Amino acid sequence: MSVADELLIANEDFARNFKLGKLSVRPKRHVAVLACMDSRILFEHCLGLHPGDAHMIRNAGGIATEDALRSLIVSHHLLDTQEFIIINHTDCGLLKVQEYELRAQLTRKMGTIASEPAHFHAFDDLETNVRQQIQRVKSHPWIPKHIPVRGFVYDVKTGKLREVE
């Protein structure tokens, strides 16, 4: 049985007891969180969030990519979020990876060059990366200047968040 089949069976149990169908499309806490896709981290739990509280946008590295920015813009302008949080974490898979080395490795492994993705957004310093993501979000012309954008580093060993100033 494939993992997808196992997940479909688990969904049957979930759907049998489903009680969240009346939640609003607008997040109750008016916040959107941009974070890494790392499977070890349940950001909803570490932030004390419940279903319907926040928009969760996740990608490799918690990077303010074009698509993440698109989601934040929709979150604010169409769904009334009023605050953005960006979270990177220790022991990230993109930390200490060199962009050109990763691209060369994939080209060798797959036997072909690819134009997309144009960037993997690898980085070697967590705090610098968080600051860069904050700046990308704050500087976008469709994100109002009054929207707070705060950044944090999550420690995978302790579960603690530390704000990046």
Side-chain angles (χ1 to χ4, degrees), residues 21-91:
K22 295 188 182 196
L23 288 175
S24 172
V25 67
R26 287 174 169 73
K28 192 180 337 177
R29 306 284 300 271
H30 304 284
V31 66
V33 178
L34 171 59
C36 188
M37 67 182 197
D38 193 297
S39 63
R40 298 170 291 180
I41 309 165
L42 297 173
F43 288 107
E44 294 87 341
H45 291 182
C46 82
L47 297 171
L49 295 171
H50 301 287
D53 279 352
H55 284 151
M56 299 300 298
I57 303 159
R58 294 180 73 157
N59 64 27
I63 305 296
T65 60
E66 178 182 350
D67 193 56
L69 288 166
R70 177 185 67 89
S71 294
L72 290 170
I73 290 163
V74 167
S75 179
H76 171 69
H77 288 284
L78 299 182
L79 300 168
D80 201 33
T81 56
Q82 298 299 318
E83 190 171 348
F84 298 150
I85 294 171
I86 298 170
I87 305 175
N88 283 192
H89 66 90
T90 59
D91 197 33

Side-chain angles (χ1 to χ4, degrees), residues 18-158:
F18 187 71
K19 294 180 179 33
L20 303 175
K22 295 188 182 196
L23 288 175
S24 172
V25 67
R26 287 174 169 73
K28 192 180 337 177
R29 306 284 300 271
H30 304 284
V31 66
V33 178
L34 171 59
C36 188
M37 67 182 197
D38 193 297
S39 63
R40 298 170 291 180
I41 309 165
L42 297 173
F43 288 107
E44 294 87 341
H45 291 182
C46 82
L47 297 171
L49 295 171
H50 301 287
D53 279 352
H55 284 151
M56 299 300 298
I57 303 159
R58 294 180 73 157
N59 64 27
I63 305 296
T65 60
E66 178 182 350
D67 193 56
L69 288 166
R70 177 185 67 89
S71 294
L72 290 170
I73 290 163
V74 167
S75 179
H76 171 69
H77 288 284
L78 299 182
L79 300 168
D80 201 33
T81 56
Q82 298 299 318
E83 190 171 348
F84 298 150
I85 294 171
I86 298 170
I87 305 175
N88 283 192
H89 66 90
T90 59
D91 197 33
C92 182
L94 283 177
L95 189 60
K96 306 288 184 194
V97 172
Q98 297 300 313
E99 190 90 17
Y100 66 92
E101 288 175 3
L102 178 56
R103 190 166 290 286
Q105 176 188 3
L106 291 169
T107 299
R108 279 192 308 277
K109 181 178 181 179
M110 300 309 296
T112 188
I113 295 172
S115 61
E116 293 179 350
H119 303 286
F120 285 97
H121 302 282
F123 54 92
D124 59 7
D125 183 273
L126 278 170
E127 289 190 7
T128 299
N129 189 59
V130 170
R131 285 185 197 100
Q132 287 174 345
Q133 304 325 305
I134 291 169
Q135 188 55 37
R136 281 184 187 158
V137 172
K138 283 184 167 186
S139 66
H140 195 284
W142 289 349
I143 294 178
K145 301 301 177 213
H146 73 274
I147 298 292
V149 182
R150 294 172 66 184
F152 300 86
V153 171
Y154 175 85
D155 188 318
V156 297
K157 301 293 185 208
T158 67

